[in-house]
Amino acid sequence: MKRLPDTELEVMKALWATGPDTPRSTLEDRLAPFGWAANTINTYLSRLAEKGFVSVRREGKSNLYTPLVGCDEYQAFDSRAVLDRLYGSPRNFVAALARDGMRREELQELQVLLDQLSGGQTK
């Protein structure tokens, strides 16, 4: 899997929100706030299909688009890529967050998550 440019990621977000067999007109409506031309959206969809993120199925005169990579799957991949590239380890990431100041509630939520992941119990 490769990390997506922000523009292609926005197209994927629209697809994740609409689900399988999304008509192009629906995508264009969801992506309207970006002000992209129809050809631009088509270019992004073609790139995503080439990368294996999207399947395209012809139905009549229109194409239907289906995400082949799930949102959770991409988020897990992208999170790890950012973590490795910028911080090297989860510890360094959390330390950077803590230096900037974390609220007590955020620290407690993080502790609960860590306890769940390690099989421990929360306090």
Side-chain angles (χ1 to χ4, degrees), residues 5 9 28 32 36 56 60 73-74 86 88 102-103 105 107 122:
L9 182 57
E28 288 178 0
W36 296 331
V56 183
E73 180 183 0
Y74 184 76
L86 295 178
M102 290 181 74
R103 293 187 325 267
E105 298 82 29
L107 288 170
T122 60

Side-chain angles (χ1 to χ4, degrees), residues 67-79:
L68 296 176
V69 175
C71 182
D72 291 343
E73 180 183 0
Y74 184 76
Q75 285 178 333
F77 161 79
D78 195 40
S79 297

Side-chain angles (χ1 to χ4, degrees):
M1 189 178 308
K2 291 184 178 180
R3 192 155 191 259
L4 295 174
D6 290 345
T7 51
E8 292 173 23
L9 182 57
E10 291 301 330
V11 175
M12 287 303 298
K13 287 180 184 177
L15 274 169
W16 289 324
T18 56
D21 293 332
T22 300
R24 181 171 166 153
S25 60
T26 301
L27 283 175
E28 288 178 0
D29 290 345
R30 291 193 73 94
L31 297 168
F34 294 100
W36 296 331
N39 285 341
T40 302
I41 294 171
N42 191 50
T43 298
Y44 295 148
L45 288 166
S46 295
R47 288 180 188 165
L48 288 165
E50 288 171 12
K51 293 176 183 179
F53 279 83
V54 172
S55 71
V56 183
R57 183 171 60 86
R58 188 89 173 152
E59 187 172 283
K61 294 183 178 182
S62 49
N63 289 334
L64 300 176
Y65 299 91
T66 299
L68 296 176
V69 175
C71 182
D72 291 343
E73 180 183 0
Y74 184 76
Q75 285 178 333
F77 161 79
D78 195 40
S79 297
R80 178 48 76 175
V82 168
L83 184 77
D84 290 344
R85 190 175 70 252
L86 295 178
Y87 300 98
S89 73
R91 183 195 179 289
N92 292 343
F93 174 71
V94 173
L97 283 176
R99 278 193 300 273
D100 193 37
M102 290 181 74
R103 293 187 325 267
R104 183 172 197 76
E105 298 82 29
E106 292 172 321
L107 288 170
Q108 289 171 339
E109 288 172 1
L110 186 56
Q111 185 62 55
V112 167
L113 176 62
L114 291 171
D115 289 343
Q116 290 171 346
L117 292 173
S118 67
Q121 295 187 4
T122 60
K123 296 177 183 177

